[in-house]
Amino acid sequence: MTETQTPRGVLICPMPADKDAMHAAFLAQSGDRRVYLYPELAAPDAPMAEQIGCIVAFRPPRDIFASLPHLRLLHGTGAGVNHMLAVPDLPRHLPMARVVADEVTQGMAQHCLHALLRELRDHRTYDRLQREKVWKRLPQRDAGTWPVGIMGLGALGMGLADVALRLGFAVRGWSRGEKSVPGVATFAGRDSLPDFLAGLSALVVLLPLTPETTGIVGAAELAAMAPGAVVVSAARGGQVIEADLIAALDSGHLSHAHLDVMATEPLPPESPLWTHPAITVTPHIAAAPNGPALARLVLENFARLEAGAPLLFPVDLTLGY
Ligand code: NAP
């Protein structure tokens, strides 16, 4: 392949439900760049595989990489790239980027705040009182005395911290590297985890899934929180040990858990998480970029790569996020 034949095509591998909208969004913005939709237009032996320079996927199809000899850019469809990184034949020498977008940051803040406010303001109890036709006022809790800890102070954790602070919550944040965030009590590194967790009324997990964060919230971490505390797990299911969470809820130490992500997705019908009285399940809907925003970012990143400019939101493959 000569310099002038450098592959400029983009292969998109959407989830079935997003297929048409994502394809239309890429076609609308791609200009003279060809867009291929997996699997219709890019069966492994299709001739256009030669033309593909960028793959866009959440969970790339098995064995796809062997059939894309001229790939130059790996692009996630979301904020997390753990599924892409788990593919055995991933060409790990290639640059990779992920998605950071306003609607994802805002959607995640909305999702987590909805859960936090329901708990802070006793709305699960008010739902029950309404069903029982009981007019009863509970004392209004002061958000400033109800500490919320956010694990992960990245794009999403910082977005949540910002709005939580404005609603008066006492906010703590935990990250890998040291951070200084006005109004937030910050903690960095594994050694600081006990201090970060001690006495929390709510824990929100917004970490990428990496070997270091897998199973990071277990029995000891949950026990460190205040009696009656709540957990909001909205990043990846492998981070909270589900059996330990159920045990902490059953013992009464925790009062409720809001789970948007689970170790196995879709959640199997036999999972006890579905029916546990102290667990609210949502089907991994906290936040996603819309098709046009995803297409804009991917196409900009591909153009940056071609121009030798730094990528937006690159993934550090050694760190795994
Ligand atoms: P990000 O910008 O990469 O931020 C990650 C944060 O986690 C950073 O603050 C990082 O610390 C911290 N971190 C990583 N490894 C750590 C470790 N071992 N110990 C302590 N802190 C660690 O990611 P993001 O955009 O905020 O997204 C976070 C995750 O949310 C994604 O990876 C994805 O899995 C999940 N997500 C879920 C949904 C949903 O719908 N449920 C939607 C979007 C995203 P440093 O700042 O020091 O690097």
Side-chain angles (χ1 to χ4, degrees), residues 58 78-82 98-101 104-105 108 111 151-159 174-179 187-190 193 205-213 216 233-237 239 260-261 265 283-289 314 319-321:
F58 183 71
V81 288
N82 53 294
R98 67 190 190 94
V99 177
V100 175
V104 179
T105 306
M108 184 57 82
H111 175 86
M151 292 182 95
L153 280 180
L156 303 183
M158 291 290 276
W174 187 71
S175 55
R176 204 171 46 83
E178 303 274 353
K179 291 203 188 314
F187 300 79
R190 193 82 191 209
L193 195 50
V205 187
L206 288 177
L207 292 164
L209 185 65
T210 68
E212 287 177 17
T213 66
I216 197 160
S233 176
R236 287 291 182 267
Q239 293 159 345
D260 186 53
V261 288
E265 296 180 12
H284 201 143
I285 46 73
L319 291 176
Y321 70 98

Side-chain angles (χ1 to χ4, degrees), residues 18 20-30 99 101 103 288-300:
D18 304 334
D20 293 339
M22 192 163 147
H23 195 198
F26 273 81
L27 288 177
Q29 298 184 48
S30 56
V99 177
E103 75 267 19
N290 62 41
L294 174 66
R296 197 161 41 248
L297 176 59
V298 170
L299 294 168
E300 166 152 13

